[in-house]
Amino acid sequence: MRKQGLSHALLVQLKRDPDGLLLDGEPAYTCARLRPGAVLQINLREGLSSGTVTPVCQPLAIVYEDEDLFVINKPAGMPVHPSHGNREMTLANALAARYLERGEPFCFRPIGRLDKNTSGLVLLAKNGLSGCLLSGMAGRRQIRREYLAVCKGRLPDNGTVDAPIGRVPGSALLREVRPDGRSAVTHFERMDDAAGLSLARVWLETGRTHQIRVHMAHIGHPLPGDFLYCPDFTKISRQALHAARLCFPHPLTGEALQFEAPLPRDMAALLEKG
């Protein structure tokens, strides 16, 4: 079961449930040996609950949903998680309200995250098993994300930024390229340019905090509207970054899934000619 991706926590939960593991219809221990033709049944009950998340009705752009996962197109300005400064107007609150309407227990399981002011596709697990499997897939880099970014200046046709990123001393938020930082690799391809700006398709080999924003600023092409690294709000009020594409195999069926979210209006407007 560990080789199939089940975590230690899930195995503990199964062992505590009298019907958690059934071997040919009979309760079984995890030390049982399987015989050819035997049927092992796993009954994973949804027992966890994110009870501290207040349900708040808000619009949700659900791109895909099945019994194991959600893909949601998050708008800019909506945080993924509740925080000290925002306990109610987040993706978690909106999803909690949806579950409340259905009369179902709610446990918030995002796989990765987006900054508050980054728009685009967010992947969430709907149960403990899919959450465990998707987290493992993310760690093995089997979940591919592509971003669209509007950058200042005219980018090269394509390129790679390989530069370590670390915290700016004395700041809890700011990151910078620094020799003692953690390895970070960003690839980009210029898709369009207009009005002194470039539209880039961006994908990552690593997942450092603010990686795209820091790397683009480092090479002289920051994202307008970025309050940390390019506070130019003359044309857009948030960083011009959008999680546009998400590709991964379904954690249980193995089916290849691919989702896309179109460029938001505020970013598209930056590239309008004339």
Side-chain angles (χ1 to χ4, degrees):
M1 288 188 291
R2 290 302 296 270
K3 289 182 179 179
Q4 294 301 316
L6 275 72
S7 68
H8 173 73
L10 280 183
L11 290 177
V12 170
Q13 183 179 338
L14 288 169
K15 288 192 286 187
R16 289 175 176 171
D17 186 336
D19 296 322
L21 294 173
L22 299 179
L23 185 57
D24 292 331
E26 297 295 328
Y29 295 102
T30 53
C31 60
R33 288 182 175 273
L34 299 183
R35 304 176 306 279
V39 175
L40 177 65
Q41 181 178 337
I42 296 173
N43 298 313
L44 189 62
R45 305 181 198 279
E46 189 60 73
L48 297 177
S49 174
S50 299
T52 59
V53 178
T54 304
V56 180
C57 289
Q58 302 170 70
L60 271 182
I62 297 177
V63 177
Y64 176 82
E65 178 184 1
D66 63 21
E67 62 183 6
D68 298 303
L69 58 92
F70 281 107
V71 176
I72 296 175
N73 186 10
K74 184 187 81 68
M78 174 185 276
V80 172
H81 300 270
S83 63
H84 179 70
N86 188 344
R87 293 289 186 189
E88 295 187 347
M89 304 305 291
T90 75
L91 181 61
N93 300 112
L95 206 53
R98 185 179 181 87
Y99 271 72
L100 182 63
E101 290 176 358
R102 296 174 171 181
E104 299 175 1
F106 171 67
C107 186
F108 192 53
R109 296 185 177 94
I111 309 301
R113 55 157 291 176
L114 295 180
D115 292 329
K116 171 184 174 181
N117 288 324
T118 298
S119 56
L121 299 174
V122 179
L123 173 62
L124 305 106
K126 292 181 70 174
N127 56 65
L129 180 57
S130 62
C132 176
L133 297 175
L134 286 168
S135 293
M137 290 164 56
R140 296 188 296 273
R141 307 205 65 77
Q142 292 176 291
I143 300 174
R144 179 180 173 88
R145 291 180 171 88
E146 290 186 4
Y147 299 81
L148 292 174
V150 176
C151 310
K152 286 197 166 187
R154 192 172 192 274
L155 280 169
D157 291 345
N158 53 69
T160 295
V161 185
D162 185 349
I165 292 174
R167 288 181 184 271
V168 172
S171 174
L173 286 178
L174 285 168
R175 303 295 194 274
E176 66 181 357
V177 169
R178 49 186 303 120
D180 60 349
R182 300 178 69 188
S183 172
V185 180
T186 301
H187 304 283
F188 67 86
E189 176 187 7
R190 178 167 48 80
M191 309 296 292
D192 193 9
D193 63 272
L197 301 167
S198 296
L199 175 66
R201 180 173 72 94
V202 184
W203 62 102
L204 308 176
E205 285 189 26
T206 53
R208 308 303 175 212
T209 300
H210 302 168
Q211 180 171 323
I212 295 173
R213 298 157 63 188
V214 171
H215 270 175
M216 290 303 170
H218 176 67
I219 64 173
H221 297 282
L223 280 56
D226 187 335
F227 79 101
L228 289 177
Y229 307 106
C230 184
D232 176 1
F233 307 112
T234 56
K235 295 183 178 180
I236 190 169
S237 60
R238 54 99 174 191
Q239 65 246 19
L241 184 61
H242 178 66
R245 194 162 181 259
L246 189 60
C247 307
F248 58 96
H250 192 283
L252 293 171
T253 68
E255 177 188 0
L257 299 177
Q258 177 176 308
F259 306 100
E260 295 187 4
L263 191 68
R265 178 62 191 152
D266 61 348
M267 289 180 58
L270 293 172
L271 299 160
E272 292 178 350
K273 302 174 176 64

